[in-house]
Amino acid sequence: MSDITEEENVLVLTFANWDEAVTVDNQVLVEFYAPWCNHCQALAPEYAKAATALKDEGSAIKLGMVDVTVNQKLAIKFGVTKGYPTLKFFDKSNLKEYNGVRKSPDIVSWLKKNTGEPCKVVASKDEVDAEVVEAHFTVLGAFADRSSDAAKQYTDAASKLDGVVFLVTDNAELMAEYGLVDGAVVAVRDFADEEARVVMDAEKSSEAIATFIAANRLPLSSSSVTRPHP
């Protein structure tokens, strides 16, 4: 894809370069948009942030966009005649409709869950902090053995919950930094005047993890999220 133009890490797709960019070997989320569409304009910065986040992680998943006003043949080919933006995920030989939340963390989360990557492996506090800065809320699971029953329950919860960044580690130093023992789960967030870390006390079943997240993922008030000063 070296010759395909990118805008903020999003592939600019046309009828001419489509067959090169979207193949049975690639995974590409494609936004069919119209420049005059207000919803498309609102999605643009979130879409670019998602593309950049995936690129920074070294993910093979790409994000692309098709301007339907100049690529009508492509739009018609995939049944996009109204309702912009329309997002379709070309997962190698499979085509899936994207109907998730149109925010960067949700887009990234949905793509990972639909490609078998529900959890991101981390090994340092800096990596955790970077995720919290971006999403304001994340969950960190500490599992020495990713094949353990507890780890499988954690992964199952991650595969079912969109819009939540699930991190996992087996790094002893990182576990010590957060005071975690093997099998522990902690919510890490940057809500002003609220606990930055909340350790899960309940049994680590998939359902219990989902309940724990629901109870802790939102600030008590909309003004509680700590944001950088301009």
Side-chain angles (χ1 to χ4, degrees):
M1 300 187 196
S2 57
D3 295 331
I4 298 177
T5 300
E6 293 187 10
E7 293 183 5
E8 297 185 274
N9 297 311
V10 178
L11 300 172
V12 179
L13 303 177
T14 65
F15 189 81
N17 65 26
W18 180 269
D19 289 340
E20 178 188 354
V22 184
T23 72
V24 294
D25 297 317
N26 294 337
Q27 294 172 310
V28 187
L29 177 65
V30 179
E31 174 199 3
F32 293 85
Y33 76 99
W36 47 259
C37 167
N38 290 335
H39 294 298
C40 300
Q41 294 167 12
L43 172 62
E46 296 294 333
Y47 201 66
K49 285 171 64 178
T52 301
L54 289 167
K55 181 177 181 179
D56 289 347
E57 290 180 13
S59 174
I61 304 170
K62 303 293 184 183
L63 269 62
M65 57 185 178
V66 173
D67 182 345
V68 300
T69 64
V70 294
N71 294 281
Q72 294 180 344
K73 288 184 179 179
L74 275 179
I76 293 171
K77 178 178 179 179
F78 295 105
V80 182
T81 57
K82 60 181 180 179
Y84 308 121
T86 293
L87 281 74
K88 295 178 179 286
F89 183 43
F90 295 82
D91 184 9
K92 298 183 179 179
S93 58
N94 299 315
L95 176 59
K96 303 175 184 177
E97 298 287 335
Y98 179 86
N99 295 311
V101 178
R102 293 173 181 175
K103 295 291 185 182
S104 172
D106 300 275
I107 294 170
V108 172
S109 174
W110 187 92
L111 287 169
K112 289 183 176 181
K113 289 171 173 53
N114 280 271
T115 53
E117 303 176 15
C119 302
K120 179 179 179 180
V121 178
V122 292
S124 71
K125 184 176 180 297
D126 286 345
E127 290 177 279
V128 177
D129 289 344
E131 295 293 341
V132 175
V133 167
E134 177 67 25
H136 303 296
F137 176 90
T138 187
V139 187
L140 173 63
F143 302 101
D145 180 6
R146 289 290 304 279
S147 65
S148 68
D149 289 340
K152 289 178 180 177
Q153 290 294 313
Y154 184 77
T155 302
D156 183 65
S159 68
K160 294 176 179 177
L161 286 175
D162 289 331
V164 177
V165 178
F166 279 78
L167 307 177
V168 66
T169 190
D170 61 0
N171 183 276
E173 291 183 5
L174 182 57
M175 290 168 65
E177 170 69 31
Y178 285 91
L180 302 179
V181 297
D182 185 22
V185 173
V186 60
V188 187
R189 53 200 194 164
D190 65 354
F191 304 157
D193 302 320
E194 297 182 38
E195 290 182 90
R197 304 174 184 179
V198 182
V199 178
M200 181 179 178
D201 294 326
E203 180 184 354
K204 308 306 185 291
S205 67
S206 177
E207 294 78 10
I209 292 170
T211 299
F212 169 74
I213 290 171
N216 293 283
R217 69 180 294 187
L218 297 176
L220 295 177
S221 68
S222 59
S223 61
S224 293
V225 176
T226 301
R227 300 186 186 277
H229 296 290

